[in-house]
Amino acid sequence: MPLRYTLQAECPETGARAGTIETDHGTIETPIFMPVGTAGSVKALSPRALTEDIGAQIILGNTYHLHLRPGREVLHELGGLHKFMSWDGPILTDSGGFQVFSLAELRKMSEEGVRFRNHLDGAYLHFTPENVIDTQRDIGSDIMMVLDECPPATVDIATARKSNELTVRWAKRAFEHYHNTTPHYGHHQALFPIVQGAVYPEVRRESADALLQLDAEGYAIGGLSVGETADVMYEIVEVVNEVLPHDRPRYLMGVGTPQNLIENVARGVDMFDCVMPTRNGRNGSLFTTEGLVNIKNKRWERSPEAIDPGLDLYASQNFSKAYLRHLIKSNEPLAMELASMQNVGFYLWLMREMRAAILEGRFPAFRAEWSERVAQKV
Amino acid sequence: MPLRYTLQAECPETGARAGTIETDHGTIETPIFMPVGTAGSVKALSPRALTEDIGAQIILGNTYHLHLRPGREVLHELGGLHKFMSWDGPILTDSGGFQVFSLAELRKMSEEGVRFRNHLDGAYLHFTPENVIDTQRDIGSDIMMVLDECPPATVDIATARKSNELTVRWAKRAFEHYHNTTPHYGHHQALFPIVQGAVYPEVRRESADALLQLDAEGYAIGGLSVGETADVMYEIVEVVNEVLPHDRPRYLMGVGTPQNLIENVARGVDMFDCVMPTRNGRNGSLFTTEGLVNIKNKRWERSPEAIDPGLDLYASQNFSKAYLRHLIKSNEPLAMELASMQNVGFYLWLMREMRAAILEGRFPAFRAEWSERVAQKV
């Protein structure tokens, strides 16, 4: 069935909204955070831990990585990513574009697409608006993304406009190819275009306006959290969300800190993804209900305190700060499982709390209480 | 309460025996395998996974590693290892002796003890029969081990005898110190001496005879699986178990492959530990009910087959061989969790199956069916 977005409640004072997105793999309650499962696995968290421990409702896979390993053919032969990784819930995949710009080498752009050497074995690859759809058909994600160009925050307005025009032309080609192809595994796959335009409100509006013509099932905002200040990010999100349709989900790509989540929910964003909770966890930076904890700090060496007394998770409640510090310092693999469970679990908890606050009409109070708190260092 | 060993059944044809060991942290059903939790964590397995997924009943900690990190003082301050790592079941700790001989540098033996530079920061440490008991009191293990000297399998008989005599003198000092000290955390701690004597039956008998005078609650066999053939190992185990008391548990240290477990259970061993299931798992070598699987092999690239169709574990049943291969090749942390769950889970399953076979009087048939099967390459 097509993706169905239902708006359940809106905050009368801010742009925050609560809703549901129905997919063939289940219903997602928004606003939602999507844990990042780059190569078919959310770092150190089994599908069971994602579901039973932290309540993940949808995860994200990276087309660039999955294309390299295990590859399209293996995924197709084994029935797609859901089956491959034993995850029954919805999956969103990016287009691979962002990784081409951040990981690959000898990148060469053309009207046709982007040619590059991949970071694993150096072999040349060519991504086009059409073939990244084909790859995502093989992956079988519930929500696919178009190929876009993601310029740095520092480009001038002329370059931003030129880049966005390419992104829009690519989006049109992507949708044409999308409508000419069908899913392999029997479930519906939506396709989201991506609003670009760097830090220029004018170009962002042009981008959103042009993409509206595609009548997509949802819209993404890309090219943020790439070096601009938080205030600029918030301003751009406001500008774009004024243009995007009210009755479709809005996905802010690659954002961000817990404070970023609160502030962007306040501006009407429904979906987020970010590697920060898993990546920071590996380095001992914890997101907790008390604020940011650097667990490697000597002050935790003998601390019998639970990892996060305020969070009702297996990892948060059953192990001391001293123990997690010890595991990280000793390079024990369990450290990563506990840190990921805490950090991704905290992100999902924060989204559930925001959703409840919106539904109960008390989002402004929640935001006032938590926006600074989640950013303070313990 | 003191350790209580109850012999429940003996195989009439072999030396295999089934029993229970009662400790203040619960009852262990023997024969048993103890997963190795070197630095206060069994590689990639949470205490919950150990209990709920694979049915671990007792785990092993390494005194050498725990002495270095987090250190005696931290462990003492935080109430011992059980509390520190959130494991409520029994714990056995080695004395650190084996690691001094395998990991440390600039080792200098004397009658007093062994002085060495540790492998982490190079600082000098001095282990004595007395101070390793003190450390294990701080750890709070349910079963402690004496400090011993573990010579290589290649020593001549004179050296083996001389070394064993030192081990016996150290064991006597250890027991004297043991009787003059008390547990810190309110639960009983047993102390096992270690039979040495390399590959010489005569020296092994002398060792076991001398240690019997200590009237210990259990006995360990050390210095095997250090380079000698399996047949020599089995012969030595037979020789030693003829001397060891019938009414105390027997622990064969650091052994071994699944076939080694079966063959040594057949010779009357009750307890085992080995890093093989966790270490091999990290490298993609799986122990399964079908035999040994090298999951990195290209032949599994597109295999939809479950990791181990014959084993009823989350990891074994819910993920394909192709997926685990992909995770290992992609260096995903989940690989280690799934491989450890499979391998350690298989070891524990094998022990439970042997125990059931002994209790039901069909151990010889079980041994005949499985001893070769667990060693064959799939």
Side-chain angles (χ1 to χ4, degrees):
Chain A
M1 64 173 192
L3 212 68
R4 188 159 63 187
Y5 176 72
T6 306
L7 183 60
Q8 296 176 294
E10 280 185 286
C11 172
E13 292 177 43
T14 70
R17 42 197 241 154
T20 56
I21 303 171
E22 289 165 74
T23 79
D24 283 338
H25 283 97
T27 298
I28 304 153
E29 299 184 315
T30 60
I32 191 71
F33 177 80
M34 304 181 280
V36 178
T38 304
S41 161
V42 176
K43 296 279 177 255
L45 292 176
S46 67
R48 183 177 66 175
L50 287 169
T51 309
E52 296 177 14
D53 284 315
I54 64 173
Q57 299 183 40
I58 172 172
I59 61 170
L60 181 141
N62 288 119
T63 293
Y64 173 90
H65 290 94
L66 292 165
H67 182 98
L68 295 176
R69 280 192 305 219
R72 291 178 52 179
E73 285 179 29
V74 170
L75 283 169
H76 195 167
E77 191 171 327
L78 294 174
L81 183 60
H82 290 87
K83 220 168 153 184
F84 186 62
M85 68 177 290
S86 206
W87 169 256
D88 292 332
I91 297 176
L92 179 147
T93 43
D94 63 10
S95 67
F98 184 77
Q99 280 73 33
V100 170
F101 294 98
S102 58
L103 289 176
E105 286 166 14
L106 291 178
R107 192 173 56 245
K108 192 152 177 351
M109 299 286 304
S110 70
E111 184 65 32
E112 178 59 18
V114 55
R115 198 173 145 80
F116 57 92
R117 295 179 66 147
N118 80 69
H119 74 294
L120 280 185
D121 65 7
Y124 274 103
L125 290 173
H126 192 204
F127 278 6
T128 68
E130 291 82 9
N131 74 16
V132 301
I133 299 289
D134 295 336
T135 304
Q136 292 176 90
R137 290 286 195 202
D138 286 336
I139 293 171
S141 44
D142 300 272
I143 302 174
M144 308 189 287
M145 304 299 298
V146 301
L147 189 65
D148 60 337
E149 190 187 8
C150 179
T154 50
V155 289
D156 61 38
I157 188 165
T159 312
R161 179 168 280 131
K162 202 168 155 243
S163 168
N164 174 59
E165 286 165 358
L166 180 68
T167 287
V168 170
R169 289 195 300 277
W170 281 2
K172 287 178 182 162
R173 280 168 55 193
F175 268 79
E176 197 177 325
H177 192 68
Y178 171 65
H179 292 303
N180 290 329
T181 54
T182 51
H184 299 324
Y185 313 116
H187 60 266
H188 176 68
Q189 298 182 273
L191 178 63
F192 286 13
I194 302 171
V195 177
Q196 287 286 357
V199 297
Y200 304 104
E202 198 183 318
V203 187
R204 287 281 177 178
R205 270 186 217 104
E206 292 165 16
S207 182
D209 277 328
L211 297 174
L212 283 196
Q213 298 168 24
L214 298 169
D215 192 27
E217 294 179 280
Y219 288 85
I221 308 172
L224 288 176
S225 207
V226 293
E228 80 287 356
T229 65
D231 284 340
V232 169
M233 180 206 308
Y234 300 147
E235 185 203 342
I236 295 296
V237 168
E238 282 176 25
V239 164
V240 173
N241 279 346
E242 275 167 23
V243 182
L244 292 183
H246 205 68
D247 60 348
R248 314 282 159 96
R250 303 156 179 170
Y251 160 33
L252 178 57
M253 303 181 78
V255 174
T257 64
Q259 191 172 51
N260 291 160
L261 301 187
I262 296 175
E263 290 307 314
N264 284 305
V265 164
R267 288 162 175 85
V269 173
D270 305 303
M271 305 166 71
F272 298 88
D273 80 286
C274 190
V275 295
M276 208 179 269
T278 40
R279 182 175 292 166
N280 289 18
R282 284 204 286 288
N283 301 323
S285 295
L286 303 184
F287 298 103
T288 79
T289 56
E290 295 167 325
L292 307 171
V293 171
N294 176 3
I295 200 75
K296 284 176 164 174
N297 196 301
K298 180 91 175 166
R299 71 177 277 207
W300 306 118
E301 187 181 26
R302 292 156 189 243
S303 169
E305 234 179 70
I307 291 173
D308 187 352
L311 200 58
D312 186 23
L313 299 177
Y314 175 67
S316 323
Q317 291 293 321
N318 289 282
F319 303 93
S320 65
K321 289 190 169 76
Y323 183 62
L324 181 52
R325 179 179 187 274
H326 164 72
L327 292 180
I328 287 184
K329 290 211 151 277
S330 303
N331 222 0
E332 282 289 330
L334 184 60
M336 214 181 293
E337 185 184 340
L338 298 184
S340 278
M341 195 185 294
Q342 168 64 36
N343 279 0
V344 186
F346 172 76
Y347 268 58
L348 287 164
W349 170 86
L350 183 61
M351 302 311 290
R352 284 192 302 271
E353 290 291 308
M354 282 196 275
R355 182 177 150 80
I358 298 164
L359 288 170
E360 294 162 18
R362 52 177 177 78
F363 178 76
F366 180 89
R367 178 189 185 187
E369 185 186 349
W370 286 92
S371 190
E372 295 301 321
R373 186 159 157 190
V374 295
Q376 82 199 355
K377 288 187 182 158
V378 180
Chain B
M1 65 174 191
L3 213 69
R4 186 157 66 185
Y5 177 71
T6 306
L7 183 60
Q8 294 175 296
E10 279 184 287
C11 172
E13 292 176 44
T14 70
R17 42 197 239 152
T20 55
I21 303 171
E22 289 165 74
T23 78
D24 283 337
H25 284 97
T27 298
I28 305 153
E29 299 185 315
T30 61
I32 191 71
F33 176 80
M34 303 181 280
V36 178
T38 303
S41 162
V42 176
K43 294 279 177 256
L45 293 175
S46 67
R48 183 178 67 177
L50 287 169
T51 308
E52 295 176 16
D53 285 314
I54 64 173
Q57 298 183 40
I58 172 172
I59 62 170
L60 181 141
N62 288 121
T63 293
Y64 173 90
H65 290 93
L66 292 166
H67 182 97
L68 294 175
R69 278 192 307 217
R72 289 177 55 179
E73 284 178 30
V74 170
L75 284 168
H76 194 166
E77 191 171 326
L78 293 173
L81 183 60
H82 291 86
K83 220 169 153 185
F84 185 62
M85 67 177 292
S86 205
W87 169 257
D88 292 331
I91 297 176
L92 180 148
T93 43
D94 63 9
S95 67
F98 184 78
Q99 280 73 30
V100 171
F101 293 99
S102 59
L103 288 177
E105 286 165 12
L106 291 178
R107 193 172 55 245
K108 192 151 178 349
M109 299 285 304
S110 69
E111 184 66 32
E112 178 58 17
V114 55
R115 198 172 144 80
F116 58 91
R117 293 179 67 148
N118 80 70
H119 75 294
L120 281 185
D121 64 8
Y124 274 102
L125 290 173
H126 192 206
F127 278 7
T128 67
E130 292 82 8
N131 74 16
V132 300
I133 299 290
D134 294 336
T135 304
Q136 292 176 90
R137 291 287 195 200
D138 286 336
I139 294 171
S141 45
D142 301 272
I143 302 175
M144 308 188 286
M145 305 298 298
V146 301
L147 187 66
D148 61 335
E149 190 186 9
C150 179
T154 49
V155 290
D156 62 36
I157 188 167
T159 311
R161 178 167 281 132
K162 201 166 155 244
S163 167
N164 174 58
E165 286 165 358
L166 179 67
T167 287
V168 170
R169 288 196 299 279
W170 280 3
K172 287 178 183 164
R173 280 169 53 193
F175 269 79
E176 197 177 325
H177 191 68
Y178 171 65
H179 291 303
N180 291 329
T181 54
T182 51
H184 298 324
Y185 312 115
H187 61 266
H188 176 69
Q189 297 182 274
L191 179 63
F192 285 13
I194 303 171
V195 177
Q196 288 287 356
V199 296
Y200 305 103
E202 197 182 319
V203 187
R204 287 281 178 177
R205 269 185 220 103
E206 293 165 15
S207 182
D209 277 330
L211 297 175
L212 283 196
Q213 297 167 28
L214 298 169
D215 192 26
E217 294 178 279
Y219 289 84
I221 308 173
L224 289 176
S225 208
V226 294
E228 80 287 356
T229 65
D231 285 342
V232 169
M233 182 209 306
Y234 300 147
E235 187 203 340
I236 294 296
V237 168
E238 283 176 24
V239 165
V240 173
N241 279 346
E242 275 167 21
V243 183
L244 292 183
H246 205 69
D247 61 349
R248 315 282 160 95
R250 302 155 180 171
Y251 161 34
L252 179 56
M253 303 181 79
V255 174
T257 66
Q259 190 171 53
N260 291 159
L261 300 187
I262 297 175
E263 291 307 314
N264 284 305
V265 163
R267 287 162 176 86
V269 173
D270 306 302
M271 304 165 73
F272 298 89
D273 80 287
C274 192
V275 294
M276 207 179 270
T278 40
R279 182 176 293 166
N280 290 20
R282 283 204 286 287
N283 301 324
S285 296
L286 302 185
F287 298 102
T288 78
T289 56
E290 294 167 325
L292 305 171
V293 170
N294 177 3
I295 201 73
K296 284 177 165 173
N297 197 301
K298 180 92 175 164
R299 71 177 279 208
W300 307 118
E301 188 182 25
R302 291 156 191 244
S303 170
E305 234 179 68
I307 291 173
D308 187 352
L311 200 57
D312 185 24
L313 299 179
Y314 175 68
S316 323
Q317 291 293 320
N318 289 283
F319 303 93
S320 65
K321 289 190 169 76
Y323 183 62
L324 181 53
R325 179 179 186 275
H326 163 73
L327 291 181
I328 287 183
K329 290 211 151 280
S330 303
N331 221 1
E332 281 290 331
L334 184 61
M336 213 181 293
E337 185 184 338
L338 297 184
S340 277
M341 196 186 292
Q342 169 62 35
N343 279 0
V344 185
F346 173 76
Y347 267 59
L348 286 164
W349 170 85
L350 184 61
M351 302 311 291
R352 284 192 300 270
E353 290 292 306
M354 284 197 272
R355 182 178 150 82
I358 297 163
L359 288 170
E360 293 161 19
R362 52 178 178 78
F363 179 76
F366 180 89
R367 178 190 185 185
E369 185 186 348
W370 286 91
S371 189
E372 296 301 322
R373 186 159 157 191
V374 294
Q376 85 199 352
K377 287 186 183 160
V378 181

